[in-house]
Amino acid sequence: MSELRQDPATKRWVIIASERARRPHQFVATANRAPVPEYDPSCPFCPGNEGKTPPEVYAVRSDGSADSPGWSVRVVPNRFAALSPDTPLEIRRPDICTSIGGYGAHEVIIEAPQHNLTLATMPRAHVEQVVAATLHRLTTLGRNRSFAYVAKFRNHGAAAGTSLVHPHSQIIATPIVPAEVRNEIEEARRFYDDRVHCVYCTIIAEEMEEGRRVVLEAPEYIVITPFASRFPFELMIIPREHASSFLMGHHQSTSWIAEALHRTVRLLYLAANNPDYNLVIHTTPLRDTCEDYYHWHVEVLPRLTTPAGFELGTGMYITTAVPEETAEYLRDFVPKVDEDP
Amino acid sequence: MSELRQDPATKRWVIIASERARRPHQFVATANRAPVPEYDPSCPFCPGNEGKTPPEVYAVRSDGSADSPGWSVRVVPNRFAALSPDTPLEIRRPDICTSIGGYGAHEVIIEAPQHNLTLATMPRAHVEQVVAATLHRLTTLGRNRSFAYVAKFRNHGAAAGTSLVHPHSQIIATPIVPAEVRNEIEEARRFYDDRVHCVYCTIIAEEMEEGRRVVLEAPEYIVITPFASRFPFELMIIPREHASSFLMGHHQSTSWIAEALHRTVRLLYLAANNPDYNLVIHTTPLRDTCEDYYHWHVEVLPRLTTPAGFELGTGMYITTAVPEETAEYLRDFVPKVDEDP
């Protein structure tokens, strides 16, 4: 029997279509990825090609001067930036169509010198450096009073919208709060107004009690297959401590954040054969901290299926994967995630 | 210079990234489609295979009895239905996670007997039959007081989420109003509360005055490249007469609706080389007719680019296509759209 489910946090509905339901292993990525060399002389992110990117704004270096080899993590403005801090912040409202000059920031975190590493296959100690770079850049950009939101995301594979193989993630700072972020926060606020409790804290408590969708747990976080998952193998990392912002109170916490990210993407890598995915940090807007009612978290969205007209037109997803079955399948792979790659 | 633009109706922001901007012709689909035969004996939608689908609920027939050849348009329940009217409408709320048994309807409109036709290559008179079938089924399903929304959509090509080549579209009736529909209506209501005028009527007036994004115009509708387009070659059909529902007052209007649909998909077919696309009818919920402030319309969303983590996490799209340039490019193809295929 099919089932409609509503996400308690966003109020988005999904349809879990049992008539076409498939078992978790049937969603595993089957495409063979072409072998990738450790170094690609034509890749702008490989060491030696530092001149092919704009000058670095952050780097972890054991050696060398800025914009030369010797780094282990490197952050640069995107060469084809969608938004730039050099564009004037000019708001135009000639009629009902509001537009703003492309003021903002768009940076790339080059996560490792090795062309063929991924977040799942790099050592955990290295993921800590990536998390530290992320926290540093988000904090720095967050100080700009003209920015309203800073998004951090990672696109892995062609189906997830990237053509560059070299391990990297991106940061975009915008002068406005995007509509979906606004909706998510609005729903969290409504929940808090009704119950005087954070909806994500409530989800943690109920998921821990229910147990069937919990994939990983640790003192600092849990990882679940969300009740109203939109995608097969969708995962959510929720920090146990209530904090609205990824940046708040976590400056000394690169260690557990790196552990949570690494274990989650490794689980996906091992159990679903290195699928294409998007990873997005959901955090509070910069000038409206939503302290009591919002709760930062991470969404990992594998791209093993293609959203169609129904999804694009209604925001409602049809999925043929059952979250409880996916969680059960994934738990078998947990013992392997902590073996260092 | 890049630009942020806000859609006046939905309040969604997009980034038009000029650093990577491409001219309209650079987005034209380049993949060669495999030649498709007029008849495929293995296709469940081809004549002679009527027994491979559930029994028809509607058909335009010149000949034959139900579930046999002789039809020109045929509507059947989806064999792998996401929702079904046979499932009890049972609402479960054991905690904060609401779910409903998969009550609803999921139907397929088989648009033509010919396996290799598409909406763009069939004669306009035939598109009228498809529109009549759509209106008939939506009206019939809309009489069910347990349905809250009826979505009609069309997925063309693999990138748009379909694997079946045979020309078809789909209808899904849901017992709830999807979140994105709710948001769109909520924003339309706010606009009306502020201005005592429908936002879509305002868009029509401003687009006609501005002119640069108008692609097609007729006494009954206009077709534009939306100011805040998310996709290259995105198109919107807006009826000039204010009506909140696709179903209201249009029972005698299959003629102009068919003309608007046919010209729009033909324009895309001719100018962008038959790209994959989703087509969605946006109409009012069934039990909340939003008469004054909502306005039905059609969105055509070509899938020539892949939304990535930023899009999935924020609902904000980065596009490298400039709507005004796309409209100018498309207008060159307008003289050809009315030559019958």
PDB file of all heavy atoms in Angstrom, chain A residues 140-152:
ATOM      1  N   THR A 140      34.168  34.332   8.268  1.00  0.00           N
ATOM      2  CA  THR A 140      34.702  35.562   7.671  1.00  0.00           C
ATOM      3  C   THR A 140      33.637  36.235   6.797  1.00  0.00           C
ATOM      4  O   THR A 140      33.370  37.433   6.935  1.00  0.00           O
ATOM      5  CB  THR A 140      35.956  35.237   6.822  1.00  0.00           C
ATOM      6  OG1 THR A 140      36.885  34.555   7.662  1.00  0.00           O
ATOM      7  CG2 THR A 140      36.586  36.500   6.254  1.00  0.00           C
ATOM      8  N   LEU A 141      33.012  35.472   5.926  1.00  0.00           N
ATOM      9  CA  LEU A 141      31.971  36.043   5.055  1.00  0.00           C
ATOM     10  C   LEU A 141      30.789  36.531   5.883  1.00  0.00           C
ATOM     11  O   LEU A 141      30.169  37.549   5.564  1.00  0.00           O
ATOM     12  CB  LEU A 141      31.513  34.999   4.021  1.00  0.00           C
ATOM     13  CG  LEU A 141      32.551  34.625   2.955  1.00  0.00           C
ATOM     14  CD1 LEU A 141      32.124  33.367   2.195  1.00  0.00           C
ATOM     15  CD2 LEU A 141      32.773  35.779   1.979  1.00  0.00           C
ATOM     16  N   GLY A 142      30.487  35.813   6.964  1.00  0.00           N
ATOM     17  CA  GLY A 142      29.346  36.163   7.806  1.00  0.00           C
ATOM     18  C   GLY A 142      29.505  37.513   8.493  1.00  0.00           C
ATOM     19  O   GLY A 142      28.521  38.109   8.938  1.00  0.00           O
ATOM     20  N   ARG A 143      30.724  38.014   8.570  1.00  0.00           N
ATOM     21  CA  ARG A 143      30.953  39.322   9.199  1.00  0.00           C
ATOM     22  C   ARG A 143      30.517  40.472   8.291  1.00  0.00           C
ATOM     23  O   ARG A 143      30.353  41.595   8.760  1.00  0.00           O
ATOM     24  CB  ARG A 143      32.441  39.493   9.530  1.00  0.00           C
ATOM     25  CG  ARG A 143      32.871  38.690  10.739  1.00  0.00           C
ATOM     26  CD  ARG A 143      34.164  39.192  11.349  1.00  0.00           C
ATOM     27  NE  ARG A 143      34.734  38.112  12.162  1.00  0.00           N
ATOM     28  CZ  ARG A 143      35.735  37.341  11.765  1.00  0.00           C
ATOM     29  NH1 ARG A 143      36.339  37.550  10.596  1.00  0.00           N
ATOM     30  NH2 ARG A 143      36.166  36.367  12.547  1.00  0.00           N
ATOM     31  N   ASN A 144      30.356  40.196   7.024  1.00  0.00           N
ATOM     32  CA  ASN A 144      29.928  41.241   6.079  1.00  0.00           C
ATOM     33  C   ASN A 144      28.443  41.522   6.298  1.00  0.00           C
ATOM     34  O   ASN A 144      27.589  40.669   6.057  1.00  0.00           O
ATOM     35  CB  ASN A 144      30.185  40.748   4.639  1.00  0.00           C
ATOM     36  CG  ASN A 144      29.801  41.785   3.607  1.00  0.00           C
ATOM     37  OD1 ASN A 144      28.894  42.594   3.815  1.00  0.00           O
ATOM     38  ND2 ASN A 144      30.491  41.765   2.475  1.00  0.00           N
ATOM     39  N   ARG A 145      28.135  42.729   6.750  1.00  0.00           N
ATOM     40  CA  ARG A 145      26.756  43.067   7.122  1.00  0.00           C
ATOM     41  C   ARG A 145      25.831  43.140   5.903  1.00  0.00           C
ATOM     42  O   ARG A 145      24.614  43.226   6.057  1.00  0.00           O
ATOM     43  CB  ARG A 145      26.706  44.411   7.868  1.00  0.00           C
ATOM     44  CG  ARG A 145      27.545  44.488   9.131  1.00  0.00           C
ATOM     45  CD  ARG A 145      26.945  43.770  10.321  1.00  0.00           C
ATOM     46  NE  ARG A 145      25.585  44.179  10.622  1.00  0.00           N
ATOM     47  CZ  ARG A 145      24.832  43.644  11.560  1.00  0.00           C
ATOM     48  NH1 ARG A 145      25.296  42.639  12.302  1.00  0.00           N
ATOM     49  NH2 ARG A 145      23.605  44.057  11.769  1.00  0.00           N
ATOM     50  N   SER A 146      26.381  43.125   4.710  1.00  0.00           N
ATOM     51  CA  SER A 146      25.533  43.162   3.504  1.00  0.00           C
ATOM     52  C   SER A 146      25.092  41.774   3.064  1.00  0.00           C
ATOM     53  O   SER A 146      24.268  41.648   2.168  1.00  0.00           O
ATOM     54  CB  SER A 146      26.265  43.834   2.342  1.00  0.00           C
ATOM     55  OG  SER A 146      26.586  45.150   2.684  1.00  0.00           O
ATOM     56  N   PHE A 147      25.657  40.740   3.665  1.00  0.00           N
ATOM     57  CA  PHE A 147      25.234  39.382   3.312  1.00  0.00           C
ATOM     58  C   PHE A 147      24.110  38.945   4.244  1.00  0.00           C
ATOM     59  O   PHE A 147      24.156  39.189   5.456  1.00  0.00           O
ATOM     60  CB  PHE A 147      26.397  38.389   3.446  1.00  0.00           C
ATOM     61  CG  PHE A 147      27.495  38.595   2.430  1.00  0.00           C
ATOM     62  CD1 PHE A 147      28.796  38.214   2.710  1.00  0.00           C
ATOM     63  CD2 PHE A 147      27.233  39.161   1.191  1.00  0.00           C
ATOM     64  CE1 PHE A 147      29.823  38.398   1.784  1.00  0.00           C
ATOM     65  CE2 PHE A 147      28.242  39.343   0.253  1.00  0.00           C
ATOM     66  CZ  PHE A 147      29.546  38.967   0.557  1.00  0.00           C
ATOM     67  N   ALA A 148      23.120  38.288   3.683  1.00  0.00           N
ATOM     68  CA  ALA A 148      21.985  37.810   4.484  1.00  0.00           C
ATOM     69  C   ALA A 148      22.068  36.306   4.744  1.00  0.00           C
ATOM     70  O   ALA A 148      21.553  35.811   5.731  1.00  0.00           O
ATOM     71  CB  ALA A 148      20.678  38.137   3.764  1.00  0.00           C
ATOM     72  N   TYR A 149      22.714  35.593   3.822  1.00  0.00           N
ATOM     73  CA  TYR A 149      22.777  34.134   3.962  1.00  0.00           C
ATOM     74  C   TYR A 149      24.074  33.623   3.355  1.00  0.00           C
ATOM     75  O   TYR A 149      24.574  34.190   2.376  1.00  0.00           O
ATOM     76  CB  TYR A 149      21.573  33.475   3.257  1.00  0.00           C
ATOM     77  CG  TYR A 149      21.426  32.023   3.625  1.00  0.00           C
ATOM     78  CD1 TYR A 149      20.968  31.662   4.891  1.00  0.00           C
ATOM     79  CD2 TYR A 149      21.779  31.005   2.735  1.00  0.00           C
ATOM     80  CE1 TYR A 149      20.859  30.324   5.256  1.00  0.00           C
ATOM     81  CE2 TYR A 149      21.669  29.663   3.096  1.00  0.00           C
ATOM     82  CZ  TYR A 149      21.213  29.338   4.357  1.00  0.00           C
ATOM     83  OH  TYR A 149      21.109  28.022   4.721  1.00  0.00           O
ATOM     84  N   VAL A 150      24.637  32.588   3.964  1.00  0.00           N
ATOM     85  CA  VAL A 150      25.796  31.926   3.365  1.00  0.00           C
ATOM     86  C   VAL A 150      25.475  30.442   3.232  1.00  0.00           C
ATOM     87  O   VAL A 150      25.205  29.764   4.223  1.00  0.00           O
ATOM     88  CB  VAL A 150      27.090  32.106   4.190  1.00  0.00           C
ATOM     89  CG1 VAL A 150      28.273  31.546   3.405  1.00  0.00           C
ATOM     90  CG2 VAL A 150      27.340  33.562   4.510  1.00  0.00           C
ATOM     91  N   ALA A 151      25.482  29.952   2.003  1.00  0.00           N
ATOM     92  CA  ALA A 151      25.190  28.542   1.726  1.00  0.00           C
ATOM     93  C   ALA A 151      26.487  27.797   1.472  1.00  0.00           C
ATOM     94  O   ALA A 151      27.389  28.307   0.801  1.00  0.00           O
ATOM     95  CB  ALA A 151      24.295  28.427   0.491  1.00  0.00           C
ATOM     96  N   LYS A 152      26.589  26.597   2.044  1.00  0.00           N
ATOM     97  CA  LYS A 152      27.744  25.739   1.764  1.00  0.00           C
ATOM     98  C   LYS A 152      27.201  24.431   1.205  1.00  0.00           C
ATOM     99  O   LYS A 152      26.297  23.823   1.793  1.00  0.00           O
ATOM    100  CB  LYS A 152      28.522  25.507   3.051  1.00  0.00           C
ATOM    101  CG  LYS A 152      29.257  24.189   3.154  1.00  0.00           C
ATOM    102  CD  LYS A 152      30.650  24.193   2.524  1.00  0.00           C
ATOM    103  CE  LYS A 152      31.144  22.759   2.447  1.00  0.00           C
ATOM    104  NZ  LYS A 152      32.578  22.597   2.511  1.00  0.00           N
TER     105      LYS A 152
END
